Amino acid sequence: YAQHIMKRLAAFGAAAATGIAAFYSYNGSKKVEHKASPTYLGYHFNDEGQLRQVDSDKPFEWNGASHYDALGDWVTDHIQDAMKDRGLEEHFVPSSKSPHVNIFFKKHPLDSSDNLIFLVQGSGAVRAGQWARSLCINDSLSTGSMLPLIDWISDEGFSVLVANPNLNVDGHSKIPGSESPEAHTLFCWDSYSPDFSQVVIVAHSYGGKSVFDLISSRFDSIKDKVKYIVFTDSVHGKYSCHEKLSPEQLAWVRDHSINFVESSDPLNTPYGIVHGTPCLSAGHTDHVYTTACSQPSFTRIIKTVLSPSDSSSSSLNSPFIPTTTTTLPPLLLDD
């Protein structure tokens, strides 16, 4: 099986284990002035996307929870301004006149094939544009934010939708259609997917649970439009989401998804089918790094399945799916 899957990955481009550092170097050429203050609480982002103290160039130092949360809010503003600088529109849903949440969308002007990449993060304090707030603060925007993936999506000519599933209350009011991460993901799908013929979903951590709920409730449109789902250390198994799908739905998931899981094994090491999805190593033992470390591999998958020359009408995975299952490390719930 390992030989089969590695041969298949070879079709996506050069070996995915190479080029990670180059892929994730922060693209300074796309860094412009942001609406958020360039410095806050004595910190700024350098040209490599690393948070540094203005006076000493030292990395982040803990100074209490309130300081961390305030800095985290500024980091969110910085990332969301950077998305707008890249041409993504900030949409307030369901309406700016009611309790609302902001999401980000860009219809690529050259996307004649109507291809959409739908990004869904995990749970906790992460907001639109982030995979892991802790990495944005303690490591870099290259590993913690969605900006490198958004840059790749734009360069490939695809459209992009960035969800914001963890912002469920505006003031003291529940946000209609976004009362929970699952409801928000469903709202985004219903609102944006009808305009596209082909969709790829990338979902990290708890985002995987929301996508499994989406498959269950919108299966007809999912199987019609979704070419592939990339999970990164999805926690859907903790909630037994795969056991709630019909046999047809579960077979579709098996043939149209992959889950890159935390592991000490090299990137793309196969583990068989676990909780309904084929699993490969993300090449890192820390849950929060799994999206960043697996991105060089899954972007090749995305490019292949959305290629006009791709003739696979039913399954990308089916020739290479083993029948065995594997026990994986415990899955985390918060990023």
Side-chain angles (χ1 to χ4, degrees):
Y1 170 70
Q3 292 177 344
H4 281 311
I5 195 69
M6 292 311 295
K7 287 180 180 178
R8 187 60 171 168
L9 282 169
F12 302 151
T18 64
I20 293 179
F23 194 99
Y24 282 101
S25 60
Y26 189 70
N27 193 338
S29 65
K30 295 186 178 180
K31 186 178 180 183
V32 299
E33 288 299 319
H34 304 299
K35 294 178 182 178
S37 170
T39 64
Y40 186 69
L41 295 178
Y43 287 89
H44 76 121
F45 281 105
N46 64 18
D47 290 339
E48 287 71 46
Q50 300 166 323
L51 189 70
R52 292 291 183 263
Q53 297 179 40
V54 175
D55 294 336
S56 64
D57 201 39
K58 292 181 179 179
F60 171 76
E61 294 179 335
W62 180 258
N63 191 24
S66 59
H67 175 267
Y68 182 84
D69 288 340
L71 192 61
D73 290 342
W74 174 77
V75 169
T76 295
D77 291 341
H78 180 92
I79 292 170
Q80 294 183 357
D81 283 343
M83 289 195 291
K84 287 183 279 188
D85 292 337
R86 285 159 166 77
L88 277 71
E89 299 173 349
E90 184 175 26
H91 293 180
F92 298 98
V93 297
S95 168
S96 60
K97 297 180 180 180
S98 63
H100 59 265
V101 58
N102 60 333
I103 61 176
F104 293 81
F105 173 73
K106 180 181 180 181
K107 176 71 169 71
H108 199 285
L110 301 180
D111 186 10
S112 58
S113 299
D114 290 329
N115 298 306
L116 176 68
I117 314 297
F118 181 22
L119 308 182
V120 187
Q121 68 267 62
S123 62
V126 285
R127 297 292 183 258
Q130 301 174 350
W131 294 121
R133 186 177 74 163
S134 60
L135 292 185
C136 293
I137 293 176
N138 294 287
D139 191 0
S140 75
L141 298 179
S142 297
T143 55
S145 81
M146 296 179 179
L147 296 177
L149 182 54
I150 290 171
D151 287 341
W152 179 86
I153 292 169
S154 181
D155 290 344
E156 292 297 324
F158 304 138
S159 299
V160 61
L161 174 64
V162 180
N164 200 0
N166 301 314
L167 190 56
N168 310 123
V169 177
D170 187 356
H172 298 287
S173 302
K174 283 280 189 178
I175 300 171
S178 296
E179 298 88 351
S180 67
E182 294 84 354
H184 177 81
T185 304
L186 179 64
F187 178 91
C188 289
W189 176 261
D190 288 345
S191 300
Y192 289 85
S193 69
D195 294 332
F196 295 89
S197 59
Q198 298 189 134
V199 181
V200 169
I201 302 174
V202 181
H204 174 61
S205 191
Y206 193 89
K209 196 268 185 186
S210 296
V211 170
F212 261 78
D213 282 11
L214 180 64
I215 294 168
S216 178
S217 59
R218 295 291 188 271
F219 184 58
D220 286 343
S221 61
I222 288 287
K223 68 179 181 179
D224 180 56
K225 292 179 177 289
V226 174
K227 295 285 287 182
Y228 209 76
I229 302 174
V230 174
F231 297 106
T232 59
D233 221 21
S234 171
V235 301
H236 66 271
K238 185 176 183 66
Y239 299 92
S240 302
C241 295
H242 57 294
E243 298 177 1
K244 302 171 186 176
L245 299 184
S246 70
E248 179 187 5
Q249 292 169 343
L250 195 59
W252 184 91
V253 169
R254 180 199 65 199
D255 290 342
H256 294 84
S257 72
I258 202 79
N259 188 15
F260 287 91
V261 298
E262 61 180 32
S263 171
S264 59
D265 291 323
L267 178 66
N268 296 326
T269 301
Y271 297 117
I273 300 175
V274 185
H275 304 313
T277 62
C279 291
L280 298 177
S281 170
H284 203 287
T285 57
D286 194 335
H287 173 75
V288 293
Y289 280 95
T290 52
T291 306
C293 288
S294 61
Q295 185 170 323
S297 183
F298 72 67
T299 49
R300 292 183 173 95
I301 297 176
I302 294 173
K303 187 172 182 178
T304 297
V305 300
L306 293 181
S307 170
S309 62
D310 177 40
S311 59
S312 57
S313 59
S314 59
S315 170
L316 177 70
N317 290 341
S318 57
F320 314 111
I321 297 300
T323 57
T324 58
T325 59
T326 304
T327 301
L328 295 177
L331 298 173
L332 302 180
L333 294 180
D334 197 316
D335 298 306

